[in-house]
Amino acid sequence: MTPKPGPRNQPSPALLCTGAGLTGLITLLPLIDQGILADHIKAGYPAYEPGAISAAVTAYLVILSAVGGLGILGWLSVAWAARVGKRWAHPLAIGLLAAAVCFAIAALTVRDTSGDVGLAPLLGWLQVLPCAAGLAAIVLRRSTR
C-alpha cells in the first residue's frame, strides 16, 4: 500500500532526508575524529594539560551530539508531518531552519576566552550544510498532489 501524497506546498521529502543524513554525518564526525576538537583546543590553550583538553573535548561532544540528535528529530518530525499532509509541516520547517541557522552562526562566531572561536572552524562550517538543505527543502516544495 503506497502512502497518499500530501498536499501541495509541503517541504520536499527528498531534501528533508538529505538534511537528516547530513545532520547525522556531521554529528558523527567529531565523535569519530576527536582530534579535530582536541587540536583546536590545544591551539587556543597551549598550557592546558591533557586531562583539561580531554574534558573540553568531552563537553563539546556532548553539546554537538545533543544538538545533532535534536536536529535529526526535527528533520524526521517535519518529514513525517509533510508525508501525512499536516498543514503545520511548512511552518515547523521554517522554525527549525531558523533555530539551525542561529546555531550555525553561533558555532562560527562565538569566541571563547582564548579569543578564538570556541568550536573548531571546520565543525562550525559543517553546521551550515544542513541549513542549506533545510532552505532548499522549504523553497523547493512539493508541487504535485
Side-chain angles (χ1 to χ4, degrees):
M1 176 180 229
T2 59
K4 181 177 103 180
R8 292 176 171 238
N9 295 326
Q10 291 289 17
S12 167
L15 288 170
L16 292 171
C17 291
T18 300
L22 285 170
T23 301
L25 290 173
I26 290 165
T27 301
L28 288 175
L29 178 64
L31 294 167
I32 294 168
D33 186 1
Q34 295 180 12
I36 297 169
L37 288 167
D39 292 345
H40 180 70
I41 294 165
K42 283 178 199 172
Y45 298 95
Y48 267 23
E49 297 291 326
I53 292 171
S54 178
V57 167
T58 300
Y60 271 115
L61 291 175
V62 168
I63 292 166
L64 292 172
S65 296
V67 170
L70 289 172
I72 292 169
L73 182 63
W75 286 109
L76 295 177
S77 298
V78 172
W80 171 82
R83 182 171 182 232
V84 299
K86 298 294 183 183
R87 291 179 187 250
W88 45 264
H90 192 252
L92 177 61
I94 292 170
L96 292 174
L97 175 61
V101 167
C102 289
F103 180 75
I105 289 170
L108 288 168
T109 62
V110 172
R111 300 198 175 278
D112 64 15
T113 57
S114 73
D116 198 2
V117 289
L119 185 61
L122 170 64
L123 297 177
W125 281 107
L126 286 175
Q127 301 304 315
V128 175
L129 291 177
C131 295
L135 180 61
I138 290 169
V139 172
L140 303 173
R141 294 177 273 183
R142 184 184 320 176
S143 61
T144 61
R145 248 188 198 267

